[in-house]
Amino acid sequence: MRWQSQTLDTEDGALPGLSRAGLVRTVRTPEFEGITFHEVLCKSALNRVPEGANVPFQWTVNPMRGCSHACRYCFARGTHEYLELDAGHDFDSQIVVKTNVAAVLRKELGRRSWHRDPVALGTNTDPYQRAEGRYRLMPGIIRALTESGTPFSILTKGTLLRRDLPLLTSAAREVRVSLAVSIAILDQELHQSLEPGTPSPRARLDLVRALTDAGFAVNVLVAPVIPCLTDGQAQLDAIFGAIAEAGAESAVAFPMHLRGPTKGWFLSWLAEHHPALLRRYRQLYRRGAYVTPEYSAWLRSRVAPLLAEHGLTARRQAEPETRPETAHTTGAQLALFA
């Protein structure tokens, strides 16, 4: 990827949040029209998971903040406000890149105090969003984890992961490597409207097949399930069938939660594209960020037999996702550690 036509802005005049984050330079380039990259030097790479989170890992690594996937429902949007950027368009277009993350991680993993606890990537923003093709942060991260004997997991919507498949296959001979792919929507029109920066559902299904063929037991997150738009019996049956056909070992599904500024950002989309559903959403989310317990129970009763029918109920110990009943709280907690 060529960046000859990039333009640089200095730190002068930068938002205070970015200055505190270790801003080195700001980059704009025609190859990423509409997106600005803020390159920073991070002081730490490992983030400790809050106690009581009930997930099979204690640490996370997030190479970037903000995400060009631009998913309307992304729970991590609120983390951008810590940088004095907004959780809407800024989250989609102002990407903070920790250019030294691999070097810092290697140093942290080399400490005597490091006990080789499992590390998860993709718990906040996607490590394989488009910018990874330019910055190539993940190979260094994977090597650092592998060489230190640290097991790790990756959750992604990004088909760019295929670039690192040989490296991941080699790493899996040394440490436990768990891979999961997120596929929430099959309908192409809805996909383009709700998650316009992500690879197509078909491309992600092909990624599942490639990972499976390479010997990985792949878990797929059908998440979030979007009430009234992707929770129909036929829709769920179709997506679980496609996932099983792609070779996935297991799948999990849970309903969308709308925490903090994500709620307004999503509901503004809903008002524009499906205004008739606004009343139903006010009922479903009357308790706040999460759907009513009645809806959650209804969805579990619909999903469970479909998972069993398609042979997707097997579970592994080191998956990067949370269990359906705890996913909402845990996901929100992890988003704080960017």
Side-chain angles (χ1 to χ4, degrees):
M1 186 176 296
R2 295 178 293 107
W3 280 40
Q4 289 94 328
S5 301
Q6 68 187 14
T7 61
L8 304 178
D9 293 336
T10 66
E11 190 174 350
D12 294 340
L15 290 170
L18 282 172
S19 297
R20 291 194 300 269
L23 180 67
V24 174
R25 66 173 185 171
T26 292
V27 179
R28 299 183 182 90
T29 174
E31 284 85 348
F32 289 84
E33 184 177 358
I35 297 178
T36 300
F37 296 100
H38 304 284
E39 298 177 357
V40 304
L41 296 178
C42 62
K43 296 180 180 179
S44 65
L46 287 166
N47 310 301
R48 182 182 284 275
V49 175
E51 291 186 12
N54 196 21
V55 291
F57 50 85
Q58 295 178 301
W59 302 88
T60 68
V61 174
N62 296 295
M64 303 183 196
R65 299 183 66 159
C67 187
S68 60
H69 286 342
C71 302
R72 277 279 185 168
Y73 50 74
C74 181
F75 70 83
R77 288 184 172 276
T79 63
H80 242 41
E81 294 182 340
Y82 303 135
L83 300 176
E84 302 186 24
L85 295 166
D86 74 56
H89 289 295
D90 282 353
F91 183 84
D92 301 338
S93 63
Q94 304 286 324
I95 310 302
V96 179
V97 184
K98 303 174 184 178
T99 55
N100 64 333
V101 65
V104 173
L105 177 63
R106 184 177 296 275
K107 182 178 179 179
E108 292 177 330
L109 296 175
R111 294 171 179 165
R112 291 184 179 180
S113 59
W114 178 244
H115 299 298
R116 299 181 179 86
D117 298 316
V119 172
L121 294 108
T123 61
N124 187 30
T125 55
D126 200 319
Y128 281 106
Q129 57 181 288
R130 282 183 59 213
E132 169 60 18
R134 165 62 177 88
Y135 286 99
R136 299 185 63 86
L137 302 176
M138 285 299 290
I141 291 171
I142 292 168
R143 291 190 184 98
L145 291 164
T146 304
E147 291 168 10
S148 69
T150 300
F152 63 93
S153 58
I154 299 173
L155 168 62
T156 186
K157 296 178 181 178
T159 53
L160 185 58
L161 183 145
R162 294 182 75 162
R163 180 202 66 194
D164 293 341
L165 191 50
L167 184 59
L168 289 164
T169 302
S170 177
R173 300 189 188 104
E174 306 296 328
V175 298
R176 187 173 69 250
V177 177
S178 301
L179 302 179
V181 178
S182 176
I183 309 173
I185 302 168
L186 276 188
D187 180 82
Q188 188 65 27
E189 183 177 353
L190 186 60
H191 152 72
Q192 290 177 344
S193 182
L194 269 177
E195 42 183 41
T198 64
S200 70
R202 180 69 261 169
R204 280 179 270 167
L205 288 168
D206 291 343
L207 173 63
V208 173
R209 170 52 62 189
L211 299 180
T212 299
D213 290 347
F216 289 97
V218 182
N219 184 61
V220 174
L221 270 72
V222 180
V225 175
I226 304 169
C228 310
L229 292 176
T230 65
D231 60 358
Q233 179 83 15
Q235 293 166 307
L236 291 170
D237 184 53
I239 196 167
F240 289 137
I243 289 166
E245 186 177 356
E249 181 186 77
S250 58
V252 63
F254 49 83
M256 178 175 64
H257 68 282
L258 297 172
R259 183 179 176 87
T262 299
K263 188 170 188 176
W265 190 242
F266 179 84
L267 291 180
S268 67
W269 174 89
L270 192 72
E272 179 181 356
H273 296 275
H274 299 279
L277 292 179
L278 283 172
R279 182 178 179 182
R280 174 60 173 154
Y281 267 71
R282 283 195 290 268
Q283 295 172 338
L284 285 173
Y285 291 90
R286 64 180 180 271
R287 297 164 60 96
Y290 311 118
V291 291
T292 61
E294 293 79 10
Y295 180 89
S296 292
W298 172 83
L299 184 63
R300 286 196 297 271
S301 69
R302 170 161 285 188
V303 165
L306 290 173
L307 289 175
E309 179 182 342
H310 291 289
L312 295 170
T313 56
R315 300 298 302 275
R316 291 170 63 90
Q317 293 300 310
E319 294 164 355
E321 85 289 345
T322 59
R323 295 203 303 271
E325 65 271 22
T326 62
H328 302 318
T329 302
T330 303
Q333 289 172 331
L334 292 178
L336 300 178
F337 289 80

Coordinates of all heavy atoms in Angstrom, one line a residue, residues 134-198:
R134 N -1.6 -1.6 6.5 CA -0.6 -0.6 6.4 C 0.4 -0.7 7.6 O 1.6 -0.7 7.4 CB -1.2 0.8 6.4 CG -0.2 1.9 6.6 CD 0.9 2.0 5.6 NE 1.8 3.1 5.8 CZ 2.9 3.1 6.5 NH1 3.2 2.0 7.2 NH2 3.7 4.2 6.7
Y135 N -0.1 -0.8 8.8 CA 0.8 -0.8 9.9 C 1.4 -2.1 10.3 O 2.5 -2.1 11.0 CB 0.0 -0.2 11.1 CG -0.2 1.3 11.0 CD1 -1.4 1.8 10.5 CD2 0.8 2.2 11.3 CE1 -1.6 3.2 10.4 CE2 0.6 3.6 11.1 CZ -0.6 4.1 10.7 OH -0.8 5.4 10.5
R136 N 0.8 -3.2 10.0 CA 1.4 -4.5 10.2 C 1.8 -4.7 11.7 O 2.9 -5.1 12.0 CB 2.5 -4.8 9.3 CG 2.2 -4.8 7.8 CD 3.3 -5.2 6.9 NE 3.7 -6.6 7.2 CZ 3.2 -7.6 6.6 NH1 2.2 -7.5 5.7 NH2 3.6 -8.8 6.9
L137 N 0.9 -4.4 12.6 CA 1.2 -4.6 14.0 C 1.0 -6.0 14.5 O 1.7 -6.4 15.4 CB 0.2 -3.6 14.8 CG 0.3 -2.2 14.5 CD1 -0.8 -1.4 15.3 CD2 1.7 -1.6 14.8
M138 N 0.1 -6.7 13.9 CA -0.2 -8.0 14.4 C 0.9 -9.1 14.3 O 1.1 -9.9 15.2 CB -1.5 -8.6 13.8 CG -2.8 -7.9 14.3 SD -3.0 -8.2 16.1 CE -3.4 -10.0 16.0
P139 N 1.7 -9.1 13.2 CA 2.8 -10.1 13.2 C 3.7 -10.0 14.4 O 4.1 -11.0 15.0 CB 3.5 -9.8 11.9 CG 2.4 -9.3 11.0 CD 1.5 -8.5 11.9
G140 N 4.1 -8.7 14.8 CA 5.0 -8.5 15.9 C 4.3 -8.9 17.2 O 5.0 -9.5 18.1
I141 N 3.0 -8.7 17.3 CA 2.3 -9.1 18.5 C 2.2 -10.6 18.6 O 2.4 -11.2 19.7 CB 0.8 -8.5 18.5 CG1 0.9 -7.0 18.7 CG2 0.0 -9.1 19.6 CD1 -0.4 -6.2 18.4
I142 N 1.9 -11.3 17.5 CA 1.8 -12.7 17.5 C 3.2 -13.3 17.9 O 3.2 -14.3 18.7 CB 1.3 -13.2 16.2 CG1 -0.1 -12.8 15.9 CG2 1.5 -14.7 16.0 CD1 -0.6 -13.0 14.5
R143 N 4.2 -12.8 17.3 CA 5.5 -13.4 17.6 C 5.9 -13.1 19.1 O 6.5 -14.0 19.7 CB 6.6 -12.7 16.7 CG 6.5 -13.1 15.2 CD 7.7 -12.6 14.4 NE 7.5 -13.0 13.0 CZ 7.1 -12.1 12.1 NH1 6.7 -10.8 12.5 NH2 6.9 -12.5 10.8
A144 N 5.6 -12.0 19.6 CA 5.9 -11.7 21.0 C 5.2 -12.6 21.9 O 5.8 -13.2 22.9 CB 5.6 -10.2 21.3
L145 N 3.9 -12.9 21.7 CA 3.2 -13.8 22.5 C 3.7 -15.2 22.4 O 3.9 -15.9 23.4 CB 1.7 -13.7 22.1 CG 1.0 -12.4 22.4 CD1 -0.3 -12.3 21.7 CD2 0.7 -12.3 23.9
T146 N 4.0 -15.6 21.2 CA 4.4 -17.0 21.0 C 5.8 -17.2 21.6 O 6.0 -18.2 22.3 CB 4.5 -17.3 19.5 OG1 3.2 -17.0 18.8 CG2 4.9 -18.7 19.2
E147 N 6.7 -16.3 21.4 CA 8.1 -16.5 21.9 C 8.1 -16.5 23.4 O 9.0 -17.0 24.0 CB 9.0 -15.5 21.3 CG 9.2 -15.7 19.8 CD 9.9 -14.5 19.1 OE1 10.4 -13.6 19.8 OE2 9.9 -14.5 17.9
S148 N 7.1 -15.8 24.0 CA 7.1 -15.8 25.5 C 6.3 -17.0 26.1 O 6.2 -17.1 27.3 CB 6.4 -14.5 26.0 OG 5.0 -14.5 25.6
G149 N 5.8 -17.8 25.2 CA 5.0 -19.0 25.7 C 3.6 -18.6 26.2 O 3.0 -19.3 27.0
T150 N 3.0 -17.5 25.7 CA 1.7 -17.0 26.2 C 0.6 -17.5 25.2 O 0.6 -17.1 24.0 CB 1.8 -15.5 26.2 OG1 2.8 -15.1 27.1 CG2 0.4 -14.9 26.7
P151 N -0.4 -18.2 25.7 CA -1.5 -18.5 24.9 C -2.4 -17.3 24.6 O -2.4 -16.4 25.4 CB -2.3 -19.5 25.8 CG -1.9 -19.2 27.2 CD -0.5 -18.7 27.1
F152 N -3.0 -17.3 23.4 CA -3.8 -16.1 23.0 C -4.9 -16.5 22.2 O -5.0 -17.6 21.6 CB -2.9 -15.1 22.3 CG -2.3 -15.5 21.0 CD1 -2.9 -15.3 19.8 CD2 -1.0 -16.2 21.0 CE1 -2.3 -15.6 18.6 CE2 -0.5 -16.6 19.8 CZ -1.1 -16.3 18.6
S153 N -5.9 -15.5 22.1 CA -7.1 -15.7 21.2 C -7.3 -14.4 20.4 O -6.9 -13.3 20.8 CB -8.3 -16.0 22.1 OG -8.5 -14.9 23.0
I154 N -7.9 -14.6 19.3 CA -8.2 -13.5 18.4 C -9.7 -13.6 18.0 O -10.1 -14.6 17.5 CB -7.3 -13.5 17.1 CG1 -5.8 -13.3 17.5 CG2 -7.7 -12.3 16.2 CD1 -4.9 -13.5 16.3
L155 N -10.4 -12.5 18.1 CA -11.7 -12.3 17.6 C -11.7 -11.2 16.5 O -11.2 -10.1 16.8 CB -12.7 -11.9 18.7 CG -14.1 -11.5 18.3 CD1 -14.8 -12.6 17.6 CD2 -14.9 -11.0 19.5
T156 N -12.3 -11.5 15.3 CA -12.2 -10.5 14.3 C -13.3 -10.6 13.3 O -14.0 -11.7 13.1 CB -10.8 -10.7 13.5 OG1 -10.7 -9.6 12.5 CG2 -10.8 -12.0 12.8
K157 N -13.6 -9.5 12.6 CA -14.4 -9.5 11.4 C -13.5 -9.3 10.2 O -14.1 -9.2 9.0 CB -15.4 -8.3 11.5 CG -16.4 -8.5 12.6 CD -17.3 -7.2 12.6 CE -18.3 -7.3 13.7 NZ -19.2 -6.1 13.8
G158 N -12.2 -9.2 10.4 CA -11.3 -8.8 9.3 C -10.7 -10.0 8.6 O -10.0 -10.8 9.2
T159 N -11.0 -10.1 7.3 CA -10.4 -11.2 6.5 C -8.9 -11.0 6.3 O -8.2 -11.9 5.8 CB -11.1 -11.2 5.1 OG1 -11.0 -10.0 4.5 CG2 -12.5 -11.6 5.3
L160 N -8.3 -9.9 6.7 CA -6.9 -9.7 6.6 C -6.1 -10.7 7.5 O -5.0 -10.9 7.3 CB -6.6 -8.2 7.1 CG -5.1 -7.8 7.0 CD1 -4.6 -7.9 5.6 CD2 -5.0 -6.3 7.5
L161 N -6.8 -11.3 8.5 CA -6.2 -12.3 9.3 C -5.6 -13.4 8.4 O -4.6 -14.0 8.8 CB -7.3 -12.9 10.2 CG -6.8 -14.0 11.2 CD1 -7.5 -13.9 12.5 CD2 -7.0 -15.4 10.7
R162 N -6.1 -13.6 7.2 CA -5.6 -14.7 6.4 C -4.1 -14.5 6.0 O -3.4 -15.4 5.8 CB -6.4 -14.8 5.1 CG -7.8 -15.3 5.3 CD -8.6 -15.4 4.0 NE -8.2 -16.6 3.3 CZ -9.0 -17.1 2.3 NH1 -10.1 -16.6 2.0 NH2 -8.6 -18.2 1.7
R163 N -3.7 -13.2 6.0 CA -2.3 -12.9 5.7 C -1.4 -13.5 6.8 O -0.3 -13.9 6.4 CB -2.1 -11.3 5.8 CG -0.7 -10.8 5.5 CD -0.6 -9.4 6.1 NE -0.7 -9.4 7.6 CZ -0.8 -8.3 8.3 NH1 -0.9 -7.1 7.7 NH2 -0.9 -8.4 9.6
D164 N -1.9 -13.6 8.0 CA -1.0 -14.1 9.1 C -1.3 -15.6 9.4 O -0.8 -16.1 10.4 CB -1.3 -13.3 10.3 CG -0.8 -11.8 10.2 OD1 0.1 -11.6 9.3 OD2 -1.2 -11.0 11.0
L165 N -2.0 -16.2 8.5 CA -2.4 -17.6 8.8 C -1.1 -18.5 9.0 O -1.1 -19.4 9.9 CB -3.3 -18.2 7.7 CG -4.0 -19.5 8.0 CD1 -4.6 -19.6 9.4 CD2 -5.0 -19.8 6.9
P166 N -0.1 -18.4 8.1 CA 1.1 -19.2 8.3 C 1.7 -18.9 9.7 O 2.2 -19.9 10.3 CB 2.0 -18.8 7.1 CG 1.1 -18.3 6.1 CD -0.1 -17.6 6.8
L167 N 1.8 -17.7 10.1 CA 2.4 -17.3 11.3 C 1.5 -17.9 12.5 O 2.1 -18.4 13.5 CB 2.5 -15.8 11.5 CG 3.1 -15.2 12.7 CD1 4.6 -15.7 12.8 CD2 3.1 -13.7 12.6
L168 N 0.2 -17.8 12.4 CA -0.7 -18.4 13.4 C -0.6 -19.9 13.5 O -0.6 -20.5 14.6 CB -2.1 -17.9 13.1 CG -2.4 -16.5 13.4 CD1 -3.7 -16.1 12.7 CD2 -2.4 -16.2 14.9
T169 N -0.4 -20.5 12.3 CA -0.3 -22.0 12.3 C 1.0 -22.4 13.0 O 1.0 -23.4 13.8 CB -0.3 -22.5 10.9 OG1 -1.5 -22.1 10.2 CG2 -0.2 -24.0 10.8
S170 N 2.1 -21.7 12.8 CA 3.3 -21.9 13.4 C 3.2 -21.7 14.9 O 3.7 -22.4 15.8 CB 4.4 -21.1 12.8 OG 5.7 -21.2 13.5
A171 N 2.5 -20.6 15.3 CA 2.4 -20.2 16.7 C 1.6 -21.3 17.5 O 1.9 -21.6 18.6 CB 1.6 -18.9 16.9
A172 N 0.6 -21.9 16.8 CA -0.2 -22.9 17.4 C 0.6 -24.2 17.8 O 0.1 -25.0 18.6 CB -1.4 -23.3 16.5
R173 N 1.7 -24.4 17.2 CA 2.6 -25.5 17.6 C 3.3 -25.3 18.9 O 3.8 -26.2 19.5 CB 3.6 -25.8 16.5 CG 3.0 -26.1 15.1 CD 4.1 -26.6 14.1 NE 3.6 -26.7 12.8 CZ 3.8 -25.8 11.8 NH1 4.6 -24.7 12.0 NH2 3.3 -26.0 10.6
E174 N 3.4 -24.0 19.3 CA 4.1 -23.6 20.5 C 3.2 -23.3 21.7 O 3.5 -23.5 22.8 CB 5.0 -22.4 20.2 CG 5.9 -22.6 19.0 CD 6.9 -23.7 19.3 OE1 7.3 -23.9 20.4 OE2 7.3 -24.4 18.3
V175 N 2.0 -22.6 21.4 CA 1.1 -22.2 22.4 C -0.3 -22.4 22.0 O -0.6 -22.7 20.8 CB 1.3 -20.7 22.7 CG1 2.7 -20.4 23.3 CG2 1.0 -19.8 21.5
R176 N -1.2 -22.3 22.9 CA -2.6 -22.5 22.5 C -3.1 -21.2 21.8 O -3.0 -20.1 22.4 CB -3.5 -22.8 23.8 CG -4.9 -23.1 23.5 CD -5.7 -23.5 24.7 NE -5.9 -22.4 25.6 CZ -5.3 -22.3 26.8 NH1 -4.4 -23.2 27.2 NH2 -5.5 -21.3 27.6
V177 N -3.7 -21.4 20.6 CA -4.2 -20.3 19.8 C -5.6 -20.5 19.5 O -6.0 -21.6 18.9 CB -3.4 -20.1 18.5 CG1 -4.0 -19.0 17.7 CG2 -1.9 -19.8 18.8
S178 N -6.5 -19.6 19.9 CA -7.9 -19.8 19.6 C -8.4 -18.6 18.7 O -8.1 -17.5 18.9 CB -8.7 -19.7 21.0 OG -8.3 -20.7 21.9
L179 N -9.1 -19.0 17.7 CA -9.6 -18.0 16.7 C -11.1 -18.0 16.6 O -11.7 -19.1 16.6 CB -9.0 -18.4 15.3 CG -7.4 -18.4 15.2 CD1 -7.0 -18.8 13.8 CD2 -6.8 -17.1 15.7
A180 N -11.7 -16.8 16.5 CA -13.1 -16.7 16.4 C -13.4 -15.6 15.4 O -12.6 -14.6 15.3 CB -13.8 -16.3 17.7
V181 N -14.5 -15.8 14.6 CA -14.9 -14.8 13.6 C -16.3 -14.3 13.9 O -17.1 -15.1 14.4 CB -14.9 -15.5 12.2 CG1 -15.3 -14.5 11.1 CG2 -13.5 -16.0 11.9
S182 N -16.5 -13.0 13.8 CA -17.8 -12.4 14.0 C -18.6 -12.3 12.7 O -18.1 -11.6 11.8 CB -17.7 -11.1 14.7 OG -18.9 -10.5 14.9
I183 N -19.8 -12.9 12.7 CA -20.7 -12.8 11.5 C -22.1 -12.6 12.1 O -22.7 -13.5 12.5 CB -20.6 -14.0 10.6 CG1 -19.2 -14.3 10.2 CG2 -21.5 -13.8 9.4 CD1 -19.1 -15.7 9.5
A184 N -22.6 -11.4 12.0 CA -23.9 -11.1 12.6 C -25.0 -11.0 11.6 O -26.2 -11.2 12.0 CB -23.8 -9.7 13.4
I185 N -24.7 -10.7 10.4 CA -25.7 -10.5 9.4 C -25.3 -11.2 8.1 O -24.2 -11.1 7.6 CB -25.8 -8.9 9.1 CG1 -26.1 -8.2 10.4 CG2 -26.8 -8.6 8.0 CD1 -25.9 -6.7 10.2
L186 N -26.3 -11.8 7.5 CA -26.1 -12.4 6.1 C -26.7 -11.5 5.0 O -26.1 -11.5 3.9 CB -26.8 -13.8 6.0 CG -26.1 -15.0 6.6 CD1 -26.9 -16.3 6.2 CD2 -24.7 -15.1 6.0
D187 N -27.8 -10.9 5.3 CA -28.4 -10.0 4.3 C -27.5 -8.9 3.8 O -27.0 -8.1 4.6 CB -29.7 -9.4 4.9 CG -30.4 -8.5 3.9 OD1 -31.1 -9.0 3.0 OD2 -30.2 -7.3 3.9
Q188 N -27.2 -8.9 2.5 CA -26.2 -7.9 2.0 C -26.6 -6.5 2.2 O -25.7 -5.6 2.5 CB -25.9 -8.2 0.5 CG -24.7 -7.5 0.0 CD -23.4 -7.9 0.6 OE1 -23.2 -9.0 1.1 NE2 -22.5 -6.9 0.6
E189 N -27.8 -6.2 2.0 CA -28.3 -4.8 2.1 C -28.2 -4.3 3.5 O -27.7 -3.2 3.8 CB -29.7 -4.6 1.6 CG -30.2 -3.2 1.6 CD -31.6 -3.1 1.0 OE1 -32.1 -4.1 0.4 OE2 -32.2 -2.0 1.1
L190 N -28.6 -5.1 4.5 CA -28.6 -4.8 5.9 C -27.1 -4.7 6.3 O -26.7 -3.8 7.1 CB -29.3 -5.8 6.7 CG -29.5 -5.5 8.2 CD1 -30.2 -4.1 8.4 CD2 -30.2 -6.6 8.9
H191 N -26.3 -5.6 5.9 CA -24.9 -5.5 6.2 C -24.2 -4.2 5.7 O -23.5 -3.6 6.5 CB -24.2 -6.7 5.5 CG -22.7 -6.5 5.2 ND1 -21.7 -6.4 6.1 CD2 -22.1 -6.3 4.0 CE1 -20.6 -6.2 5.5 NE2 -20.8 -6.1 4.2
Q192 N -24.5 -3.8 4.5 CA -23.9 -2.6 4.0 C -24.4 -1.3 4.8 O -23.7 -0.3 4.9 CB -24.2 -2.4 2.5 CG -23.5 -3.5 1.7 CD -23.8 -3.4 0.2 OE1 -24.8 -2.8 -0.2 NE2 -23.0 -4.0 -0.7
S193 N -25.6 -1.4 5.3 CA -26.1 -0.3 6.0 C -25.6 -0.2 7.4 O -25.4 0.9 7.9 CB -27.7 -0.3 6.0 OG -28.2 0.8 6.6
L194 N -25.5 -1.3 8.1 CA -25.2 -1.4 9.5 C -23.7 -1.5 9.8 O -23.2 -1.1 10.9 CB -25.9 -2.5 10.2 CG -27.3 -2.2 10.8 CD1 -28.0 -3.4 11.4 CD2 -27.2 -1.1 11.8
E195 N -22.9 -2.2 8.9 CA -21.5 -2.4 9.2 C -20.8 -2.2 7.9 O -20.1 -3.1 7.3 CB -21.3 -3.8 9.8 CG -22.1 -4.9 9.1 CD -21.9 -6.2 9.8 OE1 -21.8 -6.3 11.0 OE2 -21.9 -7.2 9.0
P196 N -20.8 -1.0 7.3 CA -20.3 -0.7 6.0 C -18.8 -0.9 5.7 O -18.4 -1.1 4.6 CB -20.7 0.7 5.7 CG -20.8 1.4 7.1 CD -21.3 0.3 8.0
G197 N -18.0 -0.8 6.8 CA -16.6 -1.0 6.6 C -16.1 -2.4 6.8 O -14.8 -2.6 6.7
T198 N -16.9 -3.3 7.0 CA -16.5 -4.7 7.2 C -16.4 -5.5 5.9 O -17.2 -5.2 5.0 CB -17.4 -5.4 8.2 OG1 -18.7 -5.5 7.6 CG2 -17.5 -4.7 9.5

